[in-house]
Amino acid sequence: MPRALKRFFLYLAVAGIVIWTVAPYLWLIISSLSLKIDLLTVPLRWIPPRLTLENYYSLFFTRGSESVNARLFFHSLGNSAMISLTTMFICLILGVLAAYAIARLRFKGSNMLVLLMMATQLVPPIVLVVPLYVIMRKVDLLDKHLGLILVDISIVLPLVIWLMRGYFASIPSELEDAARIDGCTHLGALFRVILPLSGPGLVSVMIFAFIAAWNEYLYAFIFTNVDAKTIPVLIGEFSTKLGLEYLRIAAAGVLASLPPILLALVFQRFIVRGLTSGAIK
Amino acid sequence: MKITRPRSRPVFDDPRTLGLLLIAPAMLAILGVVLLPMFNSLWLSFQQHDLSRPQEDAFVWLRNYADLLRDPRYLNSLQATFKFSLFSVLLELALGVAIAIILNQEFRGRGFVRSLMILPWAMPSIVNAAMWKWIYNADYGALNALLAQLHIIDHYQVWLAEPTTAMILIILANVWKETPFTVILILAALQTIPEDLYEASRVDGATEWQSFLGITLPLIMPVLMIAGLLQFIWGFQTFELIYIVTGGGPFSSTEMTNLRVYATTFRSLRFGYGAAMAYLTSLIIFIPAVVYIRSAYRKVVEV
Amino acid sequence: MKRPSLYLFVSLLLILSFVLASCAPTAVPATELPQASAPEATQSAAEAETITVIFPKHEADLSGAFESRIREFENQSGIKVELIQSDWDSVANRILPEISTGGSAYDVVEFDNGWVAEWCGAGWATPLNDFMPAGYTDGMIPGLVDLFSCPDKKVYGIVWNNDTRFFYYNAEKLAAAGFNEPPKTWDEFKQMGISAKEKDVVSYGMAPFWNQEWSLGNEFHFWTYAFGGEIVDEKGCFLFNKDPNTLAALQYMVDSMKDGVSNPAGMTYNQAASQDAFLKGDSLFMPQGIAGLMAYTKDASVSSVDGQIKVGLVPGARAGMSAALTLPEAYAIPAQSEHKEAAWKFIEFMTSRETNKALAQEIGVLPIWTDLYADADLTAKYPFWSEFQAQLSTARGLSKLTWYGDFVDISTAEVHKALAGEQTAQEALDNMASGLSQFECKP
């Protein structure tokens, strides 16, 4: 196939991917800038006749209690940021160590621990929530950042371990053996050989861990109330007895998905080729 | 390269002790949170514990589990969830590989497109669910509007009122949200495949497709298996999407097990039965998952 | 090794910025208004009792009217209120773990009509008779008091949200279709709906909210009552599968999907979507509209039917029959609360005639005191309340069952199946009976 034609199909495919990914989100943004009655017109106008910031305004100001909602929104945003970042870092550290142990140091019982870890992931969290609530209440960790961080770690850490184990396992062991022959300890091999080589994997897992903690809903809902409320919980409250307030959710959703995207934007450059080329040589 | 005599290994370099040492904090962090509640609710699953009728509380051994196996609503939810998870995973993997390979090529704006890719996964699940509910709205939704304006349909359809289309649509919504996860994982894995391998095969005269099957696929297989397993398990944890978009309808055809557990515990206040439902479901997915993990583990070892 | 240090630097920067963001407003109790703290300072803050109150936001409360009343209560009584207001679902899901595990975090909680029997059975609420002055509830709409009593005849909740639903119709479109009076029977309803659709005046007679979710249970109750049917008797014994009126109600619902009265999309609609369609003018009738619907019709951002809507009486199976559904919500004091007297003072204040009237005036809350319906100021502001009053005496609440959750669970699935045409109405009712057989009362 001639090169130009190949390029054409490539860009066509890329365009398709972009449209597939972005179209619903674009509709979300447009909805968040619309009035309800305009969204109900048939045939639907993709660009509504009137654009409005009312939905965003209502996130921050409600007539009668102006400053409260703005403070609440930013407060929740801050909570989410702090909890997600802390969870991410702790899970990265603990996860990398554990993943290395599982992937490379095949010791007795490692298999069983992996299975145990997986078993904890299979149980629907809904059924763990009430006993956990009692425990958290006893140790006074309800509605506290630390409480949510601890339970989020129990969700995010297995994910990190599994993914990192996969990346570690795909690095040929010859490299590590070479390092050990040179006198490295296991840990030294981990830090000097394995981690740099699994750079792209590490960065992607970091992004995932952050987003998983950022978007976590059930535990955040049950274990926070006012002080440590995170953004997904706040968004979940935008409903009345009649149903979800779609437009407000859209506006809040647009804002709430920005930090993870920014993070991905900053770090995606590190998911690049080049860190491993030449390693085998 | 210096040739040195290997130093006598310090005691914590011994694989076994080191391994335990490294894995201990992680295990503590996970099990410390989860173990007690698990035992508590497991214990509960052997009891009748309906909160609104405390006078009927009793220890019933395996009766809850036996009842579940005869509960048509529960069995229905099992098969609905299997269908949902399985199809989601297959689509996510297929799409994920395709998209990752495309995004691995050189083209202008590649970095931007890659970071755009995370968008669906970065949305809170409630926002995702609310968005799709609105898109699928029968009278005013964007899907109907789009299809009608493209003249694919001649009048608006109530997509969510038919079991088949409702299932397809929520699988679509789920795939849209979850595919970025697989894409980025596979993309990262693709980075570790050295370019020389492709060059060598090109020199040997292999086509693109052949080098894909012979080089790419085997090398990303571990990641594919992990991603697949995770997505399958997460399929079973899906809640907001179903609750908000279909509520389990039409007539329970999209009702997932997680929804049943929620309804049984939080709405019907039958905590014993609900706990049993949760553990039975876990057991049912545990067995294939274990088999899967063992085979994946073995494959990984061989690499 | 430049790259790793670069990204370490960037991430440190990110952390710094986020930490700064979260440090700024720390531990803000979400509802503390600046002006509330001033009068507090004059009292010794250490002695001020604090109660925690959790209940949903009223549908019509866009201006924080309830919150203002609460701050006034704080000023008057010296009791500090930690207020948690969110949506109905969140409130329900928050209360359950706390109350079911014997927690004392809440002093005044939301108490929904559908939970009464369950809470009575579980013993989660405090009888308010211990705190109420004798005769406190005289003068309240009687139905509202009964709905929140347990089998021991004591009152466990005082209503704060008289959420009775009313029959609204688009008078202008009805007239355009050639009818001047709203329907008195369900047959007339059907005729008018089909006729208006054929004349292209509206899309459908009604767009019901029959999605398979909790509110379908409400709808089942409404239609059954509207046809004069029964669901269970006082002892909780099944009547739904024996009462011919109940069957007629369900049959009417099923038929309405086929003969064009109901929008088929109603099978996927929740109450909000149903209301959207009515406010757009695509439906002729809204058989179960909220009390505050009139205010919505005047809001141009959601409505194109300003001035076209009127209130009627719910039609019946025969002329002269009418019934409505009420879904009231009350304040209750959990059994484990440690501030019960203070909690009662809160309830007394918030449900008093003064507060009731003030809220009615400000945001159109439907009063719980019968004499307020004759109040001059209120009737001047809400002339359509006279139509409400006629309906209020026919209002009935949800079934009081300790297994109400299971009832909704099974009935919604079976009813939805019948609405889809996958089973007959009779089969649906029979399946409900067999699915709920473990709860059947023993003769």
Side-chain angles (χ1 to χ4, degrees):
Chain A
M1 209 194 277
R3 226 194 111 78
L5 198 60
K6 255 195 182 168
R7 295 303 283 174
F8 171 70
F9 277 122
L10 179 65
Y11 277 100
L12 200 65
V14 172
I17 291 173
V18 172
I19 293 177
W20 150 267
T21 306
V22 168
Y25 190 69
L26 214 57
W27 180 237
L28 192 72
I29 297 180
I30 294 177
S31 301
S32 71
L33 296 169
S34 313
L35 293 173
K36 185 54 139 351
I37 195 75
D38 289 335
L39 287 177
L40 299 178
T41 46
V42 175
L44 189 58
R45 303 258 302 270
W46 297 106
I47 311 283
R50 298 169 279 189
L51 288 178
T52 172
L53 284 177
E54 177 64 35
N55 300 315
Y56 288 94
Y57 192 75
S58 77
L59 286 179
F60 300 110
F61 307 107
T62 308
R63 283 148 282 161
S65 37
E66 297 231 350
S67 56
V68 173
N69 278 351
R71 252 194 293 161
L72 187 57
F73 192 81
F74 286 117
H75 181 63
S76 305
L77 213 55
N79 286 336
S80 274
M82 188 215 161
I83 292 173
S84 306
L85 279 173
T86 317
T87 307
M88 176 186 86
F89 277 115
I90 297 182
C91 287
L92 267 183
I93 297 171
L94 295 184
V96 159
L97 295 178
Y100 178 69
I102 299 174
R104 285 293 190 251
L105 310 170
R106 223 138 302 120
F107 56 94
K108 243 204 316 242
S110 68
N111 244 356
M112 215 208 51
L113 282 175
V114 173
L115 287 179
L116 190 58
M117 199 175 65
M118 184 179 69
T120 67
Q121 288 294 289
L122 292 178
V123 182
I126 266 233
V127 89
L128 300 177
V129 144
V130 175
L132 203 48
Y133 185 87
V134 175
I135 296 175
M136 300 275 277
R137 188 172 62 200
K138 277 219 182 80
V139 298
D140 195 26
L141 277 179
L142 279 180
D143 206 14
K144 302 244 164 62
H145 297 88
L146 183 60
L148 190 55
I149 290 174
L150 286 177
V151 292
D152 275 351
I153 289 177
S154 75
I155 299 179
V156 176
L157 191 50
L159 173 70
V160 172
I161 294 179
W162 270 347
L163 295 177
M164 287 318 304
R165 183 186 91 159
Y167 286 120
F168 288 167
S170 65
I171 294 175
S173 48
E174 294 87 49
L175 297 171
E176 209 186 326
D177 296 340
R180 286 171 58 75
I181 290 176
D182 274 356
C184 263
T185 64
H186 280 291
L187 280 181
L190 171 65
F191 286 110
R192 268 179 247 192
V193 177
I194 307 242
L195 274 187
L197 284 184
S198 54
L202 199 62
V203 173
S204 55
V205 171
M206 196 176 100
I207 295 177
F208 288 142
F210 179 82
I211 294 181
W214 181 267
N215 285 338
E216 201 285 318
Y217 180 71
L218 179 65
Y219 282 176
F221 172 79
I222 297 275
F223 298 120
T224 71
N225 210 335
V226 175
D227 292 340
K229 188 184 291 196
T230 58
I231 273 284
V233 179
L234 185 64
I235 297 182
E237 292 180 0
F238 293 155
S239 84
T240 66
K241 215 170 158 184
L242 306 179
L244 297 174
E245 293 178 297
Y246 173 63
L247 295 184
R248 258 180 124 198
I249 292 181
V254 168
L255 294 179
S257 37
L258 287 181
I261 294 175
L262 283 172
L263 197 80
L265 243 170
V266 167
F267 285 104
Q268 66 78 27
R269 70 179 70 245
F270 296 111
I271 311 181
V272 289
R273 176 194 295 282
L275 294 173
T276 58
S277 56
I280 295 197
K281 300 180 188 129
Chain B
M1 251 178 41
K2 293 193 297 200
I3 300 177
T4 51
R5 195 171 54 86
R7 295 174 292 206
S8 55
R9 305 217 171 280
V11 75
F12 60 83
D13 205 37
D14 163 41
R16 215 174 49 236
T17 38
L18 183 63
L20 279 170
L21 219 60
L22 289 183
I23 212 175
M27 283 298 137
L28 204 68
I30 299 174
L31 295 179
V33 169
V34 157
L35 214 59
L36 267 177
M38 268 179 76
F39 281 142
N40 182 293
S41 48
L42 190 60
W43 179 243
L44 205 55
S45 74
F46 298 124
Q47 303 175 29
Q48 169 155 346
H49 188 51
D50 301 350
L51 297 184
S52 57
R53 291 174 293 277
Q55 67 276 10
E56 288 173 22
D57 277 1
F59 197 80
V60 293
W61 296 105
L62 290 176
R63 196 189 72 189
N64 284 336
Y65 290 92
D67 286 344
L68 277 172
L69 290 173
R70 283 189 303 241
D71 185 347
R73 197 95 178 261
Y74 171 68
L75 296 173
N76 173 59
S77 74
L78 263 185
Q79 64 89 21
T81 321
F82 261 105
K83 243 197 293 195
F84 174 78
S85 261
L86 216 57
F87 282 114
S88 292
V89 169
L90 290 174
L91 279 173
E92 283 157 22
L93 288 181
L95 271 177
V97 171
I99 296 179
I101 290 187
I102 294 177
L103 291 186
N104 202 25
Q105 311 296 321
E106 298 273 348
F107 59 88
R108 287 249 295 269
R110 184 172 75 168
F112 177 68
V113 176
R114 281 179 177 182
S115 38
L116 212 60
M117 205 52 228
I118 198 84
L119 207 69
W121 211 67
M123 272 208 296
S125 56
I126 291 206
V127 179
N128 184 54
M131 176 182 79
W132 286 105
K133 184 176 180 70
W134 186 245
I135 290 179
Y136 294 152
N137 183 298
D139 286 327
Y140 313 110
L143 179 66
N144 267 333
L146 185 68
L147 293 178
Q149 286 175 16
L150 291 178
H151 299 292
I152 298 178
I153 55 175
D154 51 4
H155 61 265
Y156 283 17
Q157 306 279 349
V158 189
W159 301 107
L160 295 178
E162 290 292 314
T164 327
T165 46
M167 182 61 93
I168 292 177
L169 285 183
I170 50 163
I171 291 178
L172 189 69
N174 193 41
V175 167
W176 183 82
K177 179 159 207 299
E178 298 287 329
T179 306
F181 179 76
T182 13
V183 166
I184 296 201
L185 278 188
I186 299 175
L187 199 57
L190 285 176
Q191 306 305 314
T192 60
I193 302 180
E195 184 64 28
D196 332 347
L197 287 176
Y198 291 111
E199 274 176 24
S201 79
R202 235 174 284 149
V203 161
D204 281 349
T207 66
E208 301 254 347
W209 185 245
Q210 280 171 333
S211 58
F212 167 71
L213 283 179
I215 302 176
T216 321
L217 208 53
L219 285 179
I220 58 172
M221 192 55 88
V223 171
L224 280 185
M225 300 190 88
I226 293 174
L229 181 67
L230 276 175
Q231 295 285 23
F232 183 74
I233 293 178
W234 286 347
F236 269 80
Q237 318 280 26
T238 313
F239 183 79
E240 281 97 20
L241 188 64
I242 318 294
Y243 185 72
I244 291 176
V245 177
T246 64
F251 46 94
S252 308
S253 56
T254 60
E255 206 169 36
M256 310 273 146
T257 50
N258 217 8
L259 213 64
R260 292 306 307 148
V261 175
Y262 170 76
T264 311
T265 47
F266 273 68
R267 290 283 154 94
S268 300
L269 303 180
R270 292 194 289 149
F271 273 66
Y273 196 64
M277 199 183 288
Y279 284 103
L280 187 59
T281 312
S282 315
L283 195 64
I284 292 178
I285 25 173
F286 188 66
I287 296 170
V290 165
V291 169
Y292 183 88
I293 275 226
R294 291 194 158 220
S295 62
Y297 188 68
R298 232 172 282 126
K299 275 210 176 73
V300 159
V301 168
E302 278 149 34
V303 163
Chain C
M1 295 292 268
K2 261 201 170 163
R3 234 176 254 163
S5 60
L6 175 66
Y7 77 70
L8 193 64
F9 172 70
V10 174
S11 42
L12 278 175
L13 209 63
L14 264 170
I15 301 173
L16 196 64
S17 52
F18 279 129
V19 169
L20 284 176
S22 72
C23 269
T26 41
V28 175
T31 52
E32 203 159 46
L33 294 177
Q35 55 265 34
S37 45
E40 285 296 289
T42 56
Q43 295 156 354
S44 43
E47 281 146 34
E49 202 177 356
T50 309
I51 56 171
T52 310
V53 172
I54 178 168
F55 67 100
K57 268 209 158 127
H58 192 282
E59 307 83 69
D61 189 6
L62 300 169
S63 52
F66 271 82
E67 209 187 307
S68 314
R69 295 284 148 286
I70 293 179
R71 298 307 156 210
E72 210 185 291
F73 166 75
E74 279 184 330
N75 290 347
Q76 278 187 26
S77 65
I79 300 173
K80 232 169 127 350
V81 174
E82 180 87 30
L83 176 64
I84 302 171
Q85 269 200 316
S86 56
D87 65 300
W88 192 90
D89 262 321
S90 297
V91 167
N93 289 336
R94 272 195 212 291
I95 293 180
L96 185 65
E98 181 67 23
I99 281 206
S100 64
T101 55
S104 56
Y106 302 123
D107 300 296
V108 177
V109 291
E110 155 86 342
F111 193 29
D112 188 88
N113 173 210
W115 307 343
V116 177
E118 290 167 356
W119 286 36
C120 292
W124 287 342
T126 316
L128 297 178
N129 301 70
D130 304 345
F131 304 95
M132 286 190 324
Y136 181 74
T137 55
D138 302 343
M140 275 190 202
I141 300 177
L144 295 180
V145 181
D146 295 332
L147 281 175
F148 291 94
S149 309
C150 282
D152 63 356
K153 304 279 188 287
K154 297 202 182 148
V155 177
Y156 285 79
I158 306 284
V159 172
W160 65 270
N161 185 359
N162 180 5
D163 188 6
T164 308
R165 303 293 172 92
F166 299 96
F167 184 82
Y168 294 86
Y169 62 100
N170 191 323
E172 206 171 285
K173 300 222 162 162
L174 196 61
F179 304 97
N180 289 319
E181 290 288 319
K184 304 235 175 347
T185 67
W186 290 114
D187 284 332
E188 283 176 21
F189 180 95
K190 177 168 154 181
Q191 283 163 22
M192 293 184 189
I194 295 179
S195 170
K197 178 178 183 339
E198 280 165 3
K199 297 193 181 119
D200 227 8
V201 171
V202 286
S203 308
Y204 288 96
M206 65 171 170
F209 43 95
W210 289 345
N211 194 26
Q212 183 176 339
E213 54 181 76
W214 190 264
S215 51
L216 185 55
N218 300 348
E219 278 283 85
F220 181 65
H221 276 79
F222 169 71
W223 288 97
T224 305
Y225 292 158
F227 272 75
E230 295 295 333
I231 296 181
V232 287
D233 67 14
E234 327 78 50
K235 287 198 236 72
C237 302
F238 296 175
L239 291 177
F240 55 82
N241 55 339
K242 302 186 187 115
D243 190 333
N245 292 329
T246 313
L247 177 60
L250 189 54
Q251 191 63 54
Y252 187 88
M253 286 167 80
V254 173
D255 290 339
S256 74
M257 297 287 289
K258 293 195 282 257
D259 53 27
V261 175
S262 289
N263 187 341
M267 273 200 40
T268 61
Y269 276 1
N270 61 7
Q271 300 178 72
S274 186
Q275 188 173 283
D276 284 342
F278 185 67
L279 289 176
K280 175 145 179 291
D282 284 346
S283 327
L284 194 55
F285 301 114
M286 182 95 188
Q288 266 213 90
I290 57 173
L293 189 58
M294 279 301 192
Y296 276 94
T297 62
K298 299 188 181 21
D299 182 350
S301 73
V302 298
S303 150
S304 24
V305 295
D306 190 8
Q308 303 175 13
I309 308 298
K310 288 218 174 83
V311 183
L313 271 183
V314 176
R318 295 181 307 281
M321 275 176 62
S322 183
L325 186 65
T326 181
L327 302 163
E329 299 165 56
Y331 290 128
I333 304 179
Q336 306 290 334
S337 160
E338 290 164 3
H339 303 276
K340 292 192 183 165
E341 278 86 20
W344 168 252
K345 291 213 185 78
F346 175 87
I347 297 180
E348 197 175 12
F349 179 89
M350 291 301 290
T351 58
S352 65
R353 275 189 176 79
E354 297 77 41
T355 312
N356 218 209
K357 174 165 177 179
L359 286 170
Q361 198 125 31
E362 232 176 279
I363 56 177
V365 162
L366 216 53
I368 61 173
W369 301 98
T370 36
D371 51 14
L372 283 179
Y373 287 91
D375 183 284
D377 303 321
L378 294 177
T379 45
K381 189 162 185 202
Y382 307 111
F384 50 88
W385 276 15
S386 49
E387 275 108 2
F388 280 5
Q389 232 196 325
Q391 191 79 71
L392 278 167
S393 51
T394 68
R396 301 175 60 181
L398 299 170
S399 308
K400 278 163 88 168
L401 304 161
T402 62
W403 37 278
Y404 187 70
D406 286 290
F407 175 80
V408 174
D409 198 25
I410 294 191
S411 64
T412 50
E414 297 300 335
V415 168
H416 207 250
K417 205 164 170 190
L419 292 172
E422 297 284 317
Q423 65 180 359
T424 67
Q426 183 64 62
E427 283 170 353
L429 294 173
D430 292 335
N431 287 339
M432 273 167 62
S434 60
L436 294 164
S437 58
Q438 56 176 305
F439 304 111
E440 172 77 79
C441 60
K442 313 288 177 266

